[in-house]
């Protein structure tokens, strides 16, 4: 079979991939960061197990290569098939270029990428179809480009693994996955840290050189394309190898059991480690962060959470008054920075309703989101825990039956629901909330008549609020209190919404428009809610899930985590501006305090009105974990790095003292060890409790 002969592109790229990985292992073995010695058996294991791992990983990773090779043929250009295929490609190009497609709904650069790809495919197919005399030369050029791309990926991956090892001393882990999320930051870091131009030139020259040799060696395959029967046989063999690889790859990964961590890392295949990290979404705290003895960490935690027991966050919350079982509606607003609102200095007048509502509410003016993703905000108000290293608990496998806010309401006979205008499958929300006792109301539960407008993210906020009113009216008839958590979607790229609602067209796809429509929709919701029988017996908690962006001059810029938050319940909770420093994880425990709840708590979040509350806030990315306290920002990061910044207010004289947003983060040369240890204790103990399943309900 042509696909497995010495001139096959598959075989040549496989050999190249294996050689590159052998060289990479040798380089990493002798790298200064590899501070270990290896016996003969360990060396044999590293290279033999590593070779087999690489072999089977390449088989799986070469699926796209096989797809390309299978579609190389001359018969598809014969009449009439060539003209039919070209006509279909041309029609598709016209459609995506001049009509509204799902690519346009998503926005960004995706439409341009899609159009460019289809245009190139159409153009080159046309050349091969209408210029049969030059088909051989044209195909050789396109084939060379394809081989160049595959070689470039292999070379670039090896270079990336080297630099990753150079920084962390391990193969790919979730930090590498994180780098895909923070692409701009990573590229900026690379530009500043390495001689990029010489590096890129070197990679380009190496790739071009090996592309030349591989193309030259595989020309017999290109000039004598396999027959249809040969393709079927080759595909059959490949499918069998692919299936075998799916079982063999995890087997070799499970052999990484040496007590020498470097042995395990060196014998592993980097691509498979990346896949595992992506699927597991966890970063081992004790391996990558500075730690304390567990006993010391929990002793420090006990000073912050008085009443907890040994290696637990469990404590008793008592009230001197009778519990109040009012309905509770929690609204988390998508991507809503404090700076959008008038009280924090905005002069755009894009939040007129929320500006007004805040004046009638218990407003928390100094509250910080824990992260910069929706799942982080959902985790914060549901589990009331500090943000975990790597991925949110929401997206982990072990995300069910946790001690949650919903659980406390259920214990008191509440109906508990999570409402989302999109598909709750996204970001694992449905699995998380469903696994923690919430009923799910998402786009799938809407009838066609209930949807007036939708985009890629889901129905517009007005439609979600209309649905919520219907659901709550039904719940009110059951003579049971309800707790409904509503997540908005309209303030999200592509920022499209129904026309004629506000003075900014949805066609503009602007952030200001998304913010203003979100405000408008909420105004309509409260107008409807105020007419319902349950309204006067309901407490509304409103806050953002995270800010609109997280980039800044420092790892954790304070203003990019400052979010608006308030509790609205006229006649029950007096309007007030509360300026104490607090975290997103404190909002629900504070509400429980206002409702006089008596309960056993596993929350790290606290009632800020309690006598033993010590002001602090948590802010984090996937890897940088921060604590704000005493005007100091302490950040712990992989690999066991610690930084501290003195927070120097940059006051805006037009604003009240409690509404200031901006701080100069000045690096501290002398660390405050008490705050360093306190930061470690918070994050280390919460990681311990999650890992040992001590955060269950």
């Amino acid at each position: 079979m042509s696909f497995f002969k010495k001139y096959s592109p598959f075989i040549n790229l496989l050999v190249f991939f294996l050689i590159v990985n052998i060289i990479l292992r040798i380089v990493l073995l002798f790298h200064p960061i590899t501070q270990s010695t290896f016996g003969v058996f360990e060396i044999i294991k590293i290279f033999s197990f590593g070779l087999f791992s690489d072999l089977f990983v390449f088989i799986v990773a070469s699926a796209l290569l096989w797809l390309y090779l299978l579609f190389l043929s001359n018969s598809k250009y014969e009449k009439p098939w060539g003209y039919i295929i070209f006509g279909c490609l041309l029609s598709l190009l016209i459609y995506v270029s001049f009509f509204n497609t799902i690519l346009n709904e998503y926005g960004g650069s995706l439409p341009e990428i899609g159009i460019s790809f289809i245009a190139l495919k159409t153009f080159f197919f046309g050349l091969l179809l209408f210029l049969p005399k030059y088909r051989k030369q044209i195909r050789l050029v396109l084939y060379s480009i394809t081989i160049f791309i595959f070689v470039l990926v292999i070379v670039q991956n090896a270079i990336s693994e080297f630099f990753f090892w150079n920084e962390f001393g391990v193969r790919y882990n979730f930090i590498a996955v994180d780098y895909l999320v923070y692409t701009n930051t990573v590229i900026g870091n690379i530009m500043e840290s390495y001689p990029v131009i010489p590096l890129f030139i070197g990679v380009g020259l190496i790739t071009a050189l090996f592309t030349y040799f591989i193309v030259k060696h595989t020309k017999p395959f290109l000039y004598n394309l396999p027959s249809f029967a040969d393709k079927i046989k080759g595909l059959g063999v490949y499918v069998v190898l692919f299936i075998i690889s799916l079982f063999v790859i995890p087997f070799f990964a499970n052999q990484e059991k040496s007590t020498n961590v470097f042995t395990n890392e060196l014998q592993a295949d980097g691509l498979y480690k990346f896949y595992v990290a992506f699927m597991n979404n966890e970063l081992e705290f004790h391996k990558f962060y500075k730690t304390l003895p567990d006993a010391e960490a929990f002793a420090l935690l006990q000073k912050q959470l008085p009443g907890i027991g040994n290696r637990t966050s469990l404590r008793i919350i008592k009230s001197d008054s009778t519990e109040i079982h009012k309905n509770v509606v929690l609204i988390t607003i998508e991507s809503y920075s404090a700076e959008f609102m008038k009280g924090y200095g905005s002069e755009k007048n894009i939040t007129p309703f929320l500006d007004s509502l805040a004046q009638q509410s218990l407003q928390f003016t100094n509250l910080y989101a824990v992260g910069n993703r929706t799942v982080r905000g959902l985790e914060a108000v549901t589990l009331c825990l500090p943000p975990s290293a790597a991925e949110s608990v929401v997206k982990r496998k072990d995300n069910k039956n946790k001690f949650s806010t919903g659980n406390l309401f259920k214990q008191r006979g509440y109906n508990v629901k999570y409402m989302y205008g999109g598909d709750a499958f996204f970001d694992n929300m449905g699995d998380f909330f469903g696994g923690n006792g919430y009923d799910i109301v998402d786009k799938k539960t809407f009838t066609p008549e209930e949807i007036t407008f939708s985009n890629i993210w889901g129905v517009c906020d007005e439609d979600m609020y209309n649905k919520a009113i219907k659901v709550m009216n039904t719940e009110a008839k059951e003579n049971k209190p309800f707790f409904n958590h509503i997540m908005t979607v309209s303030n999200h790229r592509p920022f499209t919404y129904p026309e004629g609602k506000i003075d900014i067209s949805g066609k503009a796809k602007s952030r200001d428009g998304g913010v203003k429509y979100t405000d408008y929709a909420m105004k309509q919701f409260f107008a409807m809610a105020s007419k319902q029988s349950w309204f006067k017996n309901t407490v509304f908690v409103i806050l953002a899930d995270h800010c609109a962006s997280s980039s800044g001059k420092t790892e954790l810029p304070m203003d990019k985590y400052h979010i608006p938050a308030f509790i609205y319940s006229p006649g029950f909770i007096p309007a007030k501006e509360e300026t104490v420093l607090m975290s997103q994880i404190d909002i629900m425990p504070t509400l429980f305090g206002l409702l006089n709840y008596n309960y056993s708590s596993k929350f790290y979040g606290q009632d800020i009105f309690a006598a033993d509350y010590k002001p602090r806030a948590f802010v984090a990315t996937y890897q940088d974990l921060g604590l704000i306290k005493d005007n100091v920002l302490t950040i712990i990061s992989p690999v066991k790095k610690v930084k501290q910044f003195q927070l120097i207010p940059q006051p805006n004289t037009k604003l009240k003292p409690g509404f200031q947003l901006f701080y100069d983060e000045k690096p501290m040369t002398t660390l405050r060890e008490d705050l360093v240890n306190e930061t470690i204790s918070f994050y280390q103990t919460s990681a311990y409790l999650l890992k040992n399943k001590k955060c269950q309900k």
Side-chain angles (χ1 to χ4, degrees):
M1 288 179 288
S2 301
F3 290 101
F4 300 98
K5 293 183 178 179
K6 64 180 181 179
Y7 55 76
S8 162
F10 171 75
I11 296 299
N12 278 259
L13 286 170
L14 169 60
V15 172
F16 179 69
F17 179 76
L18 295 178
I19 292 173
V20 167
N21 276 278
I22 290 172
I23 295 173
L24 177 63
R25 282 193 176 86
I26 294 172
V27 171
L28 300 184
L29 186 69
F30 291 100
H31 192 286
I33 205 172
T34 312
Q35 298 175 357
S36 181
T37 55
F38 304 92
V40 175
F41 176 76
E42 287 180 306
I43 296 292
I44 293 173
K45 185 182 179 186
I46 286 171
F47 285 95
S48 60
F49 279 43
L51 181 67
F52 282 109
S53 295
D54 295 340
L55 169 64
F56 290 105
V57 165
F58 180 83
I59 290 172
V60 173
S62 64
L64 288 177
L65 173 66
W66 273 85
L67 192 65
Y68 167 75
L69 295 177
L70 289 171
F71 278 91
L72 282 177
S73 73
N74 290 313
S75 59
K76 64 184 177 184
Y77 300 105
E78 297 175 358
K79 297 180 181 179
W81 299 114
Y83 295 98
I84 293 173
I85 295 172
F86 181 73
C88 291
L89 288 171
L90 195 60
S91 299
L92 180 61
L93 178 60
I94 293 171
Y95 174 67
V96 298
S97 299
F98 299 103
F99 295 90
N100 190 43
T101 68
I102 191 171
L103 302 179
N104 301 103
E105 289 293 324
Y106 185 81
S109 59
L110 194 59
E112 288 77 13
I113 294 173
I115 292 170
S116 299
F117 176 79
I118 297 170
L120 287 172
K121 184 67 179 176
T122 305
F123 175 74
F124 287 118
F125 188 90
L127 288 180
L128 292 165
L129 175 64
F130 295 113
L131 300 175
K133 290 183 179 180
Y134 302 97
R135 186 175 297 162
K136 185 176 180 180
Q137 295 91 326
I138 295 171
R139 177 175 285 150
L140 178 61
V141 171
L142 297 178
Y143 175 76
S144 300
I145 292 172
T146 302
I147 296 299
F148 180 88
I149 292 172
F150 279 102
V151 172
L152 178 62
V153 170
I154 293 171
V155 173
Q156 186 60 53
N157 176 69
I159 299 295
S160 299
E161 286 205 59
F162 169 78
F163 284 120
F164 196 83
W165 186 278
N166 187 62
E167 185 171 357
F168 298 107
V170 294
R171 293 281 194 157
Y172 291 141
N173 56 26
F174 195 77
I175 297 176
V177 180
D178 182 30
Y179 282 178
L180 292 182
V181 179
Y182 298 102
T183 309
N184 293 337
T185 304
V186 173
I187 291 175
N189 180 55
I190 292 172
M191 297 291 285
E192 293 179 5
S193 304
Y194 302 105
V196 175
I197 294 177
L199 186 63
F200 282 180
I201 291 174
V203 170
L205 290 174
I206 292 172
T207 302
L209 179 65
F210 283 99
T211 298
Y212 170 78
F213 285 116
I214 292 175
V215 169
K216 183 179 180 181
H217 197 247
T218 58
K219 278 185 179 179
F221 178 90
L222 187 65
Y223 293 158
N224 298 279
L225 295 174
S227 64
F228 180 77
D230 203 13
K231 287 181 178 180
I232 294 298
K233 293 177 184 176
L235 179 61
V237 173
Y238 174 71
V239 169
V240 172
L241 290 174
F242 186 94
I243 294 172
I244 292 173
S245 299
L246 295 180
F247 292 94
V248 174
I249 293 171
F251 168 78
F252 280 107
N254 289 333
Q255 306 312 305
E256 298 163 16
K257 299 177 181 179
S258 173
T259 55
N260 186 334
V261 175
F262 286 110
T263 299
N264 296 330
E265 294 291 337
L266 287 168
Q267 78 180 53
D269 179 89
L271 292 176
Y272 182 66
K273 292 282 283 188
F274 182 90
Y275 167 78
V276 170
F278 186 84
M279 297 304 293
N280 289 342
N281 303 335
E282 294 186 35
L283 198 61
E284 183 64 40
F285 188 90
H286 278 77
K287 184 174 181 180
F288 288 96
Y289 292 87
K290 187 175 181 180
T291 60
L292 299 168
D294 283 339
E296 183 179 344
F298 276 99
L300 285 172
L301 182 66
Q302 193 167 21
K303 294 180 180 179
Q304 308 303 318
L305 303 177
I308 64 172
N310 183 34
R311 300 200 180 191
T312 178
S313 60
L314 183 64
R315 63 196 187 282
I316 305 299
I317 307 296
K318 292 184 177 181
S319 172
D320 296 331
S321 303
T322 304
E323 286 194 3
I324 303 170
H325 293 170
K326 284 183 173 288
N327 304 313
V328 175
V329 176
L330 167 62
I331 302 175
T332 44
I333 311 174
E334 174 68 46
S335 307
Y336 215 78
S337 304
E339 61 184 347
F340 293 152
M341 297 185 66
K342 185 177 180 180
Y344 294 93
S346 175
E347 298 179 352
K348 294 181 178 180
N349 194 34
I350 54 177
T351 61
F353 176 71
L354 283 176
D355 288 334
S356 172
L357 193 68
Q359 300 302 313
Q360 307 168 53
S361 306
L362 170 58
Q363 186 176 9
F364 304 101
T365 68
N366 200 12
L367 184 146
Y368 288 85
V370 299
N372 44 35
R373 289 284 313 280
T374 294
V375 287
R376 288 300 189 188
L378 298 178
E379 174 188 82
V381 297
T382 305
L383 303 182
C384 306
L385 295 173
S388 51
E391 189 55 277
S392 163
V393 175
V394 175
K395 298 187 73 172
R396 295 185 180 183
K397 292 179 180 178
D398 180 25
N399 66 357
K400 299 175 179 62
N401 299 314
K402 300 298 182 188
F403 184 83
S404 67
T405 53
N407 174 243
L408 287 184
F409 284 117
K410 277 222 163 187
Q411 290 176 6
R412 287 155 178 79
Y414 280 65
N415 283 320
V416 175
K417 289 183 173 63
Y418 176 68
M419 301 183 177
Y420 178 59
D423 188 338
F425 175 79
F426 179 74
D427 261 350
N428 213 40
M429 290 184 282
D431 183 64
F432 172 70
F433 283 105
N436 284 286
Y438 289 69
D439 294 324
I440 308 297
V441 178
D442 67 355
K443 187 178 179 180
K444 296 190 293 292
T445 68
F446 283 64
T447 64
E449 308 82 59
E450 292 175 326
I451 302 176
T452 64
F453 181 92
S454 65
N455 61 17
I456 191 67
W457 290 108
V459 303
C460 63
D461 285 354
E462 284 179 276
D463 290 345
M464 181 68 257
Y465 289 138
N466 289 335
K467 180 75 170 182
I469 293 290
K470 289 182 181 179
V471 171
M472 287 186 275
N473 283 341
T474 300
E475 289 176 320
K477 295 175 182 177
E478 299 179 23
N479 293 319
K480 293 173 61 178
F482 56 76
F483 167 60
N484 291 319
H485 181 173
I486 303 172
M487 179 72 221
T488 74
V489 300
S490 290
N491 188 35
H492 196 299
R493 192 174 301 279
F495 305 119
T496 56
Y497 42 82
E499 291 294 318
K501 303 293 185 175
I502 59 174
D503 57 4
I504 302 175
S505 172
K507 295 178 181 178
K509 298 183 179 180
S510 70
R511 167 74 69 180
D512 285 355
V515 172
K516 194 163 189 176
Y517 174 73
T518 296
D519 185 81
Y520 168 85
M522 192 168 293
K523 179 180 179 181
Q524 304 309 307
F525 170 68
F526 275 93
M528 289 186 292
S530 64
K531 299 175 183 177
Q532 311 306 319
S533 60
W534 44 263
F535 178 77
K536 292 183 179 180
N537 192 41
T538 302
V539 178
F540 297 88
V541 183
I542 304 162
L543 79 166
D545 60 347
H546 58 85
C547 284
S549 68
S550 59
S551 59
K553 295 180 181 179
T554 58
E555 292 96 326
L556 299 173
M558 295 281 286
D559 58 297
K560 300 301 184 181
Y561 288 82
H562 202 141
I563 58 173
F566 34 92
I567 298 176
Y568 174 72
S569 185
F572 174 54
I573 299 176
K576 177 187 176 184
E577 293 174 1
E578 179 53 63
T579 62
V580 68
L581 174 67
M582 62 184 293
S583 171
Q584 199 174 25
I585 71 173
D586 300 319
I587 193 78
M588 295 306 287
T590 298
L591 172 68
F592 295 142
L594 294 170
L595 295 174
N596 302 324
Y597 278 15
N598 293 282
Y599 61 102
S600 297
S601 175
K602 292 186 178 182
F603 296 144
Y604 277 59
Q606 297 171 267
D607 176 2
I608 67 164
F609 298 119
D612 55 9
Y613 173 69
K614 299 177 180 64
R616 83 288 172 267
F618 303 94
V619 291
T621 63
Y622 283 94
Q623 51 185 309
D624 295 321
L625 309 177
L627 176 72
I628 305 168
K629 188 173 183 179
D630 296 345
N631 282 325
V632 173
L633 171 61
T634 305
I635 302 175
I636 57 175
S637 310
V639 180
K640 302 184 186 302
K641 296 177 182 177
V642 177
K643 292 182 181 180
Q644 279 185 328
F645 299 88
Q646 187 71 49
L647 300 176
I648 303 171
Q650 301 296 305
N652 182 340
T653 56
K654 296 180 180 180
L655 303 181
K656 298 178 183 179
F659 289 81
Q660 299 296 325
L661 285 177
F662 299 100
Y663 291 83
D664 181 22
E665 299 181 15
K666 183 179 179 181
M668 296 170 58
T669 54
T670 302
L671 300 182
R672 273 191 56 179
E673 292 297 334
D674 60 327
L675 291 179
V676 171
N677 291 337
E678 190 173 319
T679 304
I680 294 171
S681 74
F682 275 122
Y683 288 106
Q684 179 178 328
T685 55
S686 61
Y688 173 91
L689 295 176
L690 283 169
K691 183 177 181 179
N692 290 279
K693 297 184 181 297
K694 293 191 175 184
C695 292
Q696 305 305 102
K697 66 182 180 182

